[in-house]
Amino acid sequence: MEQEQHVSSKYKNFQEFLDKEQYTEKSIKSYEKVFGENFVSPGGIDSTKLVTQHLKITPGQRILDVGCGIGGSAFYFANEFGASVHGIDLSSNMINIANKKKEKMAIKNVTFDITDCTTAEFEDESFDVIYSREVILHIKEKKALFQSFYKWLKPGGHILITDYCCTEKKWTNEFTSYVKSRGYFLQTVSLYAQQLKEVGFKIIEQVDNTEKFIYFLEKELERIELIRKEEENEAFSEEIYQYRRKGWSEKIQRAKDNLQTWGLVFASK
């Protein structure tokens, strides 16, 4: 099973699409300004603290952070709970930045690796927790990945996933074009839960967190406006400002229109 490409044919693979278009170093810097230091995911540290309440992390636990980005969650788990974290991401730009941050902060119990989670190999029952934020939306064959997660997780371990999802509502042409352009394979949060159950997980909670998603998006849009007033540089030029402002405004509207949702699934082995 390899991560499927759902983007322009001008890229030879999905990793190239991420590194040369969606997550260039300049793009990552501008995302980090919006999401907050060390984060490139919705809600930054605030949403991380919110969803982590589901987990009872204890010192020494081993966590696999799937789609770790530039390391924000991994650093939080290590510093706040004393966990040992291995972060993987397909974007080499993300991992390069994460490693630089790790070196600067001198954190020893965090490691990062450029890895495709759909072809990764770990020993069975290696992790106490598998954590993934807004990553699995890029993968078409999600159930096959969940089978790997089940093997890698220790008995009694937990998995926590948040992701962009959709509803049963009929997609508009605009929403369809957006999903394709981003390389997404969206599904409902209930289907996530169903697929996890089918491979053996016990579902503890499945939640549509779209109201919180809209809250975080609106706060981030305010931050975009504030950043633009305070500074203009390569990481947040006028062009990037207009692009981010448009993107956030449209995402808020899709969420309010019940097209794009924010799902959470918490399960145990």
Side-chain angles (χ1 to χ4, degrees):
M1 174 186 59
E2 294 185 355
Q3 205 165 101
E4 297 197 32
Q5 187 173 353
H6 192 13
V7 294
S8 172
S9 58
K10 70 179 180 179
Y11 300 107
K12 62 183 180 182
N13 55 43
F14 189 63
Q15 184 180 43
E16 186 176 70
F17 163 73
L18 292 176
D19 284 336
K20 292 188 176 181
E21 183 163 317
Q22 190 167 0
Y23 295 124
T24 63
E25 288 190 8
K26 182 190 293 187
S27 177
I28 291 170
K29 288 178 181 178
S30 72
Y31 274 124
E32 186 180 12
K33 281 184 172 291
V34 178
F35 292 125
E37 187 176 9
N38 300 329
F39 286 91
V40 287
S41 58
I45 187 63
D46 291 336
S47 70
T48 299
K49 290 179 178 179
L50 175 70
V51 302
T52 301
Q53 293 175 4
H54 292 78
L55 301 169
K56 304 299 181 184
I57 301 172
T58 57
Q61 281 193 322
R62 194 163 182 230
I63 299 176
L64 178 64
D65 187 349
V66 179
C68 61
I70 57 176
S73 295
F75 300 142
Y76 176 69
F77 294 145
N79 290 331
E80 188 73 14
F81 304 105
S84 175
V85 189
H86 182 58
I88 61 173
D89 204 292
L90 186 59
S91 166
S92 59
N93 292 333
M94 293 281 198
I95 294 298
N96 290 339
I97 292 172
N99 275 320
K100 289 177 183 177
K101 289 176 175 289
K102 172 195 166 184
E103 184 177 354
K104 184 176 181 180
M105 290 185 278
I107 298 178
K108 295 183 178 180
N109 52 336
V110 172
T111 57
F112 297 111
D113 193 22
I114 302 168
T115 301
D116 183 340
C117 62
T118 66
T119 57
E121 295 183 4
F122 297 105
E123 291 185 6
D124 291 359
E125 301 180 2
S126 294
F127 301 99
D128 298 285
V129 173
I130 295 178
Y131 178 86
S132 182
R133 300 288 308 279
E134 290 72 60
V135 173
I136 299 171
L137 73 169
H138 287 293
I139 297 164
K140 185 176 183 180
E141 300 298 331
K142 301 182 195 326
K143 188 176 176 180
L145 177 63
F146 296 157
Q147 289 173 329
S148 295
F149 286 175
Y150 192 83
K151 289 193 301 180
W152 300 340
L153 197 65
K154 295 178 183 179
H158 292 97
I159 180 169
L160 178 66
I161 297 170
T162 71
D163 223 346
Y164 293 172
C165 296
C166 62
T167 65
E168 300 292 346
K169 184 176 180 178
K170 183 179 179 180
W171 290 15
T172 63
N173 291 335
E174 291 79 9
F175 186 54
T176 300
S177 296
Y178 160 75
V179 170
K180 185 175 181 179
S181 71
R182 302 295 284 184
Y184 294 165
F185 296 94
L186 300 188
Q187 60 185 43
T188 63
V189 66
S190 61
L191 184 53
Y192 273 80
Q194 177 185 322
Q195 291 169 334
L196 286 165
K197 283 194 289 188
E198 287 173 354
V199 304
F201 284 102
K202 177 183 177 181
I203 303 301
I204 299 174
E205 187 171 2
Q206 64 182 77
V207 185
D208 182 335
N209 267 334
T210 305
E211 286 188 9
K212 291 185 177 69
F213 183 47
I214 293 171
Y215 169 81
F216 287 128
L217 288 171
E218 289 179 337
K219 289 294 183 183
E220 288 158 0
L221 183 57
E222 290 175 5
R223 195 174 302 136
I224 289 170
E225 299 292 355
L226 184 62
I227 292 168
R228 183 64 189 89
K229 289 178 181 178
E230 292 181 344
E231 61 183 287
E232 180 177 352
N233 53 39
E234 186 180 359
F236 222 85
S237 64
E238 177 66 23
E239 180 182 2
I240 292 175
Y241 159 72
Q242 294 292 348
Y243 182 74
R244 293 281 174 259
R245 184 177 182 276
K246 181 175 183 290
W248 255 256
S249 299
E250 291 177 348
K251 195 176 297 185
I252 290 168
Q253 191 59 54
R254 288 192 295 268
K256 289 182 176 180
D257 289 342
N258 201 32
L259 288 168
Q260 183 170 343
T261 65
W262 193 41
L264 178 149
V265 182
F266 179 48
S268 66
K269 178 174 177 179

